[in-house]
Every structure is written in C-alpha cells, then in structure tokens.
Amino acid sequence: MNALVKILLFMVSCVLTNNFIFSRFLGNCPFLGVSNKVETAVGMGVAVTFVMALASLFTWLLYHYVLVPFNLRYLDTISFILVIAALVQFVEMFIKKSSPSLYKALGIYLPLITTNCAVLGAALLNITSDYNLLYAVLNGTFGALGFLLAIVLMAGVRERLETSDIPESFKGFPICIIIAGLMSVAFMGFSGFGG
C-alpha cells in the first residue's frame, strides 16, 4: 500500500473509527459539559486540538529522548501530565487575552483540559502503540479533530433539542446520554474503515 494512502487512512481512522468520544470513551466530561452551544463547543474543540497535537509531540519527544535513555519510563504519566498542564496554561492565557467571551463561556472546562483523559490517553496511546513521531503527532491532531467533530455535532443536536417537544423525564442529561449513545452507534458504522 502506498505510504501516503496509509497515512490518509490512519488520519481518517483517528477521526471516525477510533474517535476518542464515541469509540474510546475518553473526554466525556467536556463533551457533555460544554456542548450546549455550537460556538462554545467549537472553542473547546479547537483548544483541545491545539493542546492534544502539541502534547503528542512533546510527550513523544520527552519519552524517547529523556525517559527512555535515563531509564525513567515509570515517570511517563506524571511527566505527561506536567507537559499537558503547561500547554493548557498557555492556551488559557491566549484565550483569556484574545477572546474574553469564549474564556468566560468555557469556564471551568478550560483548565480541566489538563485532566481531560482524551489528551492524556492520546499521549499514552502513542507510546503503547509504539508510533513513530509522525504517527504520534497525526494521532494527537486527528484524534483531537475527531473530538472537535463529536462535540460540535452534539452541540448542534442540543441546540435543536431546546425547541423540541421532549417528555419532561427526558429533558436535560437523560436525553444527552441517549443522543450520545445513538451517535456512538452511528460512528460504529465506520469500524473497519482506515485500519
């Protein structure tokens, strides 16, 4: 198989087949918490994409050029969390300065990107899957774009639900869980696509 086709299939599989929300079930807190409005969901998705892509790059380099040579592999999780926390601080300062309304809308969920299990999951998955640097960065970037796709789709559905006639017992969180489950089943239709 051509190397370029293989890379393209890997990128598509990161977004659709191995979606962090719908296939791996990582990052559900911000997925459910920030998906009320499309604008807020896009802001959170872009922030997560930036952090996850850079975290994949820096944690891969840290692991292969510091932790492995000095036989400190057991510090991978804690060191990855420190790298992610530093990146989140940078993103938080940037959003606060450039878009105060988005910063306010994201609220507590912005600093919680530090503990977003999808970001840490991507960093650890890159190591356990033994990806090279290119595949690690692609996995982080396109996995985060899959997160962005999922959160924006959910926000669009939730905005439509505000004007829908829903039985009282399903309003709020219950209908969100049902919609998330149905979306997960829809994404399962991509299994086997892209490897």
Side-chain angles (χ1 to χ4, degrees):
M1 184 183 300
N2 185 347
L4 182 59
V5 171
K6 190 175 179 183
I7 290 172
L8 288 173
L9 285 174
F10 179 77
M11 293 185 308
V12 170
S13 75
C14 288
V15 174
L16 300 176
T17 310
N18 299 316
N19 187 286
F20 277 100
I21 296 290
F22 298 131
S23 297
R24 300 181 194 271
F25 306 107
L26 296 171
N28 287 313
C29 295
F31 171 71
L32 293 172
V34 185
S35 61
N36 292 328
K37 301 284 180 211
V38 171
E39 182 182 344
T40 309
V42 168
M44 176 57 109
V46 169
V48 167
T49 301
F50 181 76
V51 170
M52 197 182 293
L54 286 179
S56 294
L57 171 68
F58 291 136
T59 55
W60 190 95
L61 293 171
L62 175 70
Y63 183 80
H64 288 282
Y65 292 108
V66 177
L67 300 179
V68 170
F70 292 105
N71 201 23
L72 299 171
R73 289 188 192 113
Y74 61 92
L75 293 175
D76 61 354
T77 303
I78 190 89
S79 58
F80 291 178
I81 289 172
L82 291 173
V83 168
I84 292 165
L87 289 169
V88 169
Q89 286 298 311
F90 174 73
V91 169
E92 188 175 1
M93 289 186 302
F94 178 78
I95 290 176
K96 187 175 184 179
K97 185 118 176 128
S98 64
S99 179
S101 61
L102 178 60
Y103 178 79
K104 187 176 180 183
L106 291 175
I108 189 67
Y109 292 100
L110 186 57
L112 285 179
I113 294 174
T114 303
T115 57
N116 185 338
C117 53
V119 179
L120 180 60
L124 292 172
L125 183 68
N126 292 334
I127 300 306
T128 58
S129 299
D130 201 28
Y131 290 146
N132 62 28
L133 181 60
L134 173 65
Y135 275 85
V137 172
L138 289 175
N139 181 51
T141 304
F142 285 89
L145 289 174
F147 177 88
L148 172 66
L149 175 67
I151 198 169
V152 169
L153 287 173
M154 183 63 155
V157 170
R158 285 179 77 175
E159 281 186 357
R160 295 284 308 257
L161 287 175
E162 287 179 8
T163 59
S164 299
D165 186 25
I166 301 169
E168 194 64 36
S169 60
F170 286 108
K171 287 188 178 177
F173 192 68
I175 195 71
C176 288
I177 295 298
I178 292 169
I179 297 300
L182 291 172
M183 291 172 84
S184 181
V185 169
F187 270 69
M188 285 177 141
F190 295 109
S191 52
F193 179 73

